[in-house]
Amino acid sequence: MGEQGSRGPSGRRKTGKPESRLAMVRRARRINRELAEVYPYAHPELDFENPFQLLVATVLSAQTTDLRVNQTTPALFAAYPTPEDLASAVPEEVEELIRPTGFFRAKTKSIMGLSAALRDDFGGEVPGRLQDLVALPGVGRKTAFVVLGNAFGVPGITVDTHFMRLVRRWKWTEQEDPARIEAEIAGIFPKSEWTMLSHRVIFHGRRICHARRPACGACPIAHLCPSYGEGETDPDKARKLLKYELAGQPGQRLKPPADYPGTPAPALGATG
């Protein structure tokens, strides 16, 4: 009987033996280190200038792209720069401003409701505690961790659709519930890594490891991926699947950080 298994992109033979937890943790941490080299500029892809703007933008990002949110929020924040302003707004006028993000009636209710809660219960300031944030209308753990990690420097794991997809492809977890995924991943990495790990994984999911057609042949961590081959393995074809700055295209932010290597996204309605 011949030797079992197949060769991965690194040329190593896959034996089919179950991976020990120690080996998985080592591989996971190596993936994180290599992603840090690939995306040293990883950052939140929502434009914001203060915790309130980040909180509202994150709520608006449900079921749409960060790009569309970034194209929508300048007019919203120009009209309603503070929680007090937004809480006392005319709902129909808010709906019209955020219409491009979709589900605009439900989102208007959420952002006006959380603004009223900030005004009435927190002196108009966004709280920096998880238990306070998740008590706000329309704010779950994912949104709370985005705000805590990026506006307050409090470590947190952001389990969005990209994060869930990749950590399962990488066999870091078999869980499907976001809270259980969060707990398992938290046990693999030191707390100090949680926020940047989230950015790196989400960056990779948006640019290379796509849901429907991952660009396996252009993936810099393919040698560490147990799911290599689910997507396009031909290097030339895979490179054509890359997105945003990796493909020479604009990113999602209209105002990206200074070290971002790509070009800013266009404003809403801009041509060219």
Side-chain angles (χ1 to χ4, degrees), residues 60 62-64 98-109:
L60 294 179
Q63 304 299 315
T64 191
I98 69 169
R99 182 183 291 268
T101 69
F103 302 95
F104 56 89
R105 291 190 179 90
K107 290 179 179 179
T108 292
K109 184 177 180 181

Side-chain angles (χ1 to χ4, degrees), residues 140-271:
R141 290 179 69 86
K142 182 187 79 170
T143 295
F145 281 131
V146 170
V147 174
L148 289 172
N150 299 291
F152 294 101
V154 177
I157 294 172
T158 303
V159 184
D160 73 348
T161 56
H162 300 287
F163 192 94
M164 286 193 287
R165 179 175 72 253
L166 268 62
V167 298
R168 287 173 56 81
R169 278 182 177 164
W170 294 334
K171 311 300 183 188
W172 294 358
T173 180
E174 295 182 353
Q175 299 292 341
E176 296 183 1
D177 176 72
R180 292 182 177 181
I181 291 174
E182 177 194 322
E184 287 206 357
I185 304 307
I188 297 174
F189 297 92
K191 196 171 184 179
S192 60
E193 285 291 310
W194 290 355
T195 298
M196 288 309 301
L197 170 73
S198 300
H199 290 323
R200 293 164 190 151
V201 173
I202 293 169
F203 254 56
H204 194 64
R206 286 175 170 166
R207 287 151 176 78
I208 296 178
C209 196
H210 311 130
R212 286 191 275 278
R213 217 176 153 201
C216 295
C219 180
I221 58 165
H223 57 291
L224 298 171
C225 181
S227 298
Y228 174 81
E230 282 189 11
E232 179 58 65
T233 58
D234 180 85
D236 292 331
K237 293 179 180 178
R239 277 192 289 272
K240 294 178 181 178
L241 300 175
L242 301 180
K243 295 182 179 179
Y244 303 116
E245 77 281 357
L246 297 186
Q249 300 165 350
Q252 297 204 79
R253 294 189 67 165
L254 278 65
K255 298 179 179 179
D259 63 346
Y260 179 66
T263 57
L268 194 64
T271 58

Side-chain angles (χ1 to χ4, degrees), residues 109-130:
K109 184 177 180 181
S110 291
I111 64 175
M112 289 188 67
L114 70 84
S115 295
L118 294 177
R119 176 195 63 194
D120 298 340
D121 302 330
F122 297 100
E125 300 292 332
V126 175
R129 298 194 311 167
L130 176 64

Side-chain angles (χ1 to χ4, degrees), residues 27-43:
R27 180 171 58 82
R29 292 183 176 184
R30 184 176 172 189
I31 286 175
N32 182 41
R33 291 195 300 271
E34 295 198 11
L35 288 180
E37 295 178 2
V38 176
Y39 308 111
Y41 52 89
H43 60 269

